[in-house]
């Protein structure tokens, strides 16, 4: 079945008087999610750094690129599968790691819901270190869909090794090391309400379930939750340097992907250091304001990666955005806020709807514009729009 068939499914259901219960546009999805989420949760997910200029231009920068349509192609069948780290995925879409995804679900277990949506759609989840449920419970819900584990590297190297080895044992297929979040970005929305969920003992299950972390405490996290939180504060932020890369590489034989790369020199040096994938991202504008739209950084990062897979996120709001990022060289595209809003509105079904909608729009766009496979989406298929 083609991803584009989702629209036919919706139209056919309409003949029986069944209309979509979830929004079809991002603007409506965002508005309804705001109404469904608590003010604190909404500000944490929707907000960004500073006046959120970088967050906004991440989105609007996609408007500067247009896809050139080609006719008489007969793009009736499209191949949107992708080879990634030795695996064949049905689509080039992944779900970004979201540290508070657990709290975005009505039942408080959004990590599990996201994993179940991955199982239903074949869209891999990148599970965050900051989780309501331990990584083993999350991985158990993946079914046949591969998953990746995102590592916030703690200053305690033994704990870092323990987290990675647990991810290996749980069946994760790669480790994504986030580089730009050893310190929290300046987020006025959250600062104005002193809203930092982790200090309130939220989303720390991967730490409190870890034997190395527990051994560093005088009392168990169950006996003294506040002491566990204080220990987390002490070890969370590790300002990694290039000298740390050989150690990170030594922790696992799984594919190692480094997240937050925007400068081509950093991509080259990471490749020389033995990583298996580059993840071009500015954290969706959440960590630093005054930056460059991530999509503008992508082409140079792809060139510098010189054949290494390049994942991309920041500003993806539609299927058309996915197509443009692929044309600019991304191997796979990672979506964040849209699926979070789907979760807040409809749980597993909400995420599945958002993912199917994104993939359907991308597939329809390729069909209409005459592109039969991802290989045909190259920088030459795009034109600058001013």
């Amino acid at each position: 079945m083609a991803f584009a068939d989702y629209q036919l499914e919706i139209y056919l259901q309409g003949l029986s008087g069944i209309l979509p219960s979830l929004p079809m546009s991002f603007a409506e999805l965002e508005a309804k999610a705001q109404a469904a989420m608590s003010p604190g949760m909404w500000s944490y997910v929707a907000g960004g750094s500073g006046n959120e200029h970088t967050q906004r231009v991440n989105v609007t920068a996609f408007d500067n690129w247009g896809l050139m349509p080609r006719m008489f192609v007969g793009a009736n069948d499209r191949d949107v599968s992708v080879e990634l780290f030795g695996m064949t995925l049905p689509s080039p879409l992944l779900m970004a790691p979201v540290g508070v995804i657990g709290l975005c679900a009505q039942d408080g277990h959004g990590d599990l819901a996201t994993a179940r949506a991955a199982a239903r759609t074949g869209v891999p989840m990148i599970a965050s270190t900051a989780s309501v449920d331990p990584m083993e419970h999350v991985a158990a819900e993946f079914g046949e869909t591969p998953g990746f584990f995102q590592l916030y590297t703690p200053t305690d190297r033994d704990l870092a090794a323990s987290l990675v080895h647990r991810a290996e044992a749980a069946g994760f297929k790669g480790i994504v090391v986030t580089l730009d979040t050893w310190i929290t970005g300046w987020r006025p929305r959250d600062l104005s309400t002193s809203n930092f969920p982790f200090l309130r003992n939220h989303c720390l299950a991967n730490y409190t379930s870890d034997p190395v972390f527990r051994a560093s405490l005088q009392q168990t996290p169950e006996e003294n939750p506040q002491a566990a939180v204080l220990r987390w504060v002490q070890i969370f932020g590790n300002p990694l340097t290039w000298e740390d890369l050989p150690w990170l590489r030594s922790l696992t034989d799984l594919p190692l992907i480094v997240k937050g790369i925007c400068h081509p020199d950093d991509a080259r040096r990471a490749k020389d250091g033995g990583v298996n994938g580059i993840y071009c991202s500015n954290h969706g504008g959440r960590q630093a304001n005054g930056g460059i739209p991530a999509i503008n950084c992508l082409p140079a990062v792809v060139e510098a990666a010189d054949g290494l897979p390049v994942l991309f996120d920041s500003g993806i709001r539609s299927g058309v955005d996915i197509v443009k990022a692929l044309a600019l060289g991304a191997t796979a595209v990672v979506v964040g806020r849209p699926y979070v809003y789907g979760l807040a509105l409809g749980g597993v079904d909400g995420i599945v709807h958002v993912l199917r909608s994104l993939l359907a729009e991308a597939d329809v766009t390729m069909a209409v514009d005459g592109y039969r496979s991802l290989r045909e989406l190259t920088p030459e298929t795009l034109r600058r729009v001013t």
Side-chain angles (χ1 to χ4, degrees), residues 276-297:
N276 304 99
I278 304 294
Y279 191 150
C280 180
S281 165
N282 64 20
H283 217 112
R286 288 178 57 75
Q287 275 297 91
N289 197 35
I292 302 166
I295 193 66
N296 290 8
C297 301

Side-chain angles (χ1 to χ4, degrees), residues 37-58:
M37 298 169 80
S38 70
M41 203 69 257
W42 168 256
S43 74
Y44 192 87
V45 173
S49 181
N51 70 357
E52 301 178 358
H53 172 77
T54 298
Q55 181 170 307
R56 291 190 296 273
V57 296
N58 272 339

Side-chain angles (χ1 to χ4, degrees), residues 6 16 111 224-225:
Y6 189 39
S16 303
D111 304 284
N224 192 340

Side-chain angles (χ1 to χ4, degrees), residues 31-117:
K32 289 196 172 183
Q34 182 175 6
M37 298 169 80
S38 70
M41 203 69 257
W42 168 256
S43 74
Y44 192 87
V45 173
S49 181
N51 70 357
E52 301 178 358
H53 172 77
T54 298
Q55 181 170 307
R56 291 190 296 273
V57 296
N58 272 339
V59 175
T60 58
F62 281 91
D63 295 335
N64 296 328
W65 296 99
L67 186 66
M68 179 63 74
R70 301 304 302 269
M71 297 297 111
F72 286 113
V73 173
N76 187 52
D77 298 310
R78 278 92 45 208
D79 179 9
V80 296
S81 64
V82 62
E83 297 292 323
L84 191 65
F85 308 123
M87 299 175 287
T88 301
L89 304 179
S91 85
L93 189 62
L94 289 82
M95 286 183 280
V98 178
V100 294
I101 194 69
L103 302 180
C104 296
Q106 300 302 327
D107 68 353
H109 291 279
D111 304 284
L112 300 181
T114 305
R116 290 168 187 148

Side-chain angles (χ1 to χ4, degrees), residues 119-275:
R120 279 177 51 183
T121 58
V123 175
M125 172 191 187
I126 306 175
S128 176
T129 305
S131 174
V132 166
D133 291 283
M135 67 176 84
E136 292 84 358
H137 297 181
V138 176
E141 300 290 341
F142 286 150
E144 298 301 314
T145 303
F148 298 85
F149 180 72
Q150 174 267 337
L151 178 68
Y152 284 129
T153 311
T155 54
D156 182 332
R157 284 194 167 194
D158 290 337
L159 175 58
S162 181
L163 291 168
V164 169
H165 297 155
R166 286 173 60 196
E168 289 177 330
F172 287 92
K173 302 302 183 185
I175 305 296
V176 177
V177 179
T178 295
L179 301 173
D180 63 1
T181 314
W182 57 273
I183 186 172
T184 305
W186 182 258
R187 302 174 191 166
R189 292 201 209 195
D190 294 326
L191 289 163
S192 65
T193 55
S194 298
N195 179 32
F196 193 59
F198 313 104
L199 294 184
R200 304 177 192 273
N201 199 25
H202 294 307
C203 306
L204 300 182
N206 279 325
Y207 299 92
T208 57
S209 64
D210 193 274
V212 173
F213 184 85
R214 294 176 72 91
S216 71
L217 303 171
Q218 292 184 334
Q219 294 174 285
T220 69
E222 295 76 23
E223 293 169 327
N224 192 340
Q226 192 58 37
V229 170
L230 291 175
R231 175 60 181 159
W232 175 82
V233 171
Q234 290 174 341
I235 55 90
F236 172 73
N238 191 338
L240 295 167
T241 71
W242 290 112
E243 284 67 39
D244 294 307
L245 183 52
W247 162 69
L248 284 171
R249 177 67 279 180
S250 74
L251 290 178
T252 182
D253 291 328
L254 289 175
L256 183 69
I257 303 105
V258 285
K259 179 176 184 285
I261 300 291
C262 289
H263 196 293
D265 288 350
D266 292 343
R268 291 186 192 93
R269 191 161 181 180
K271 181 180 182 181
D272 290 344
V275 307

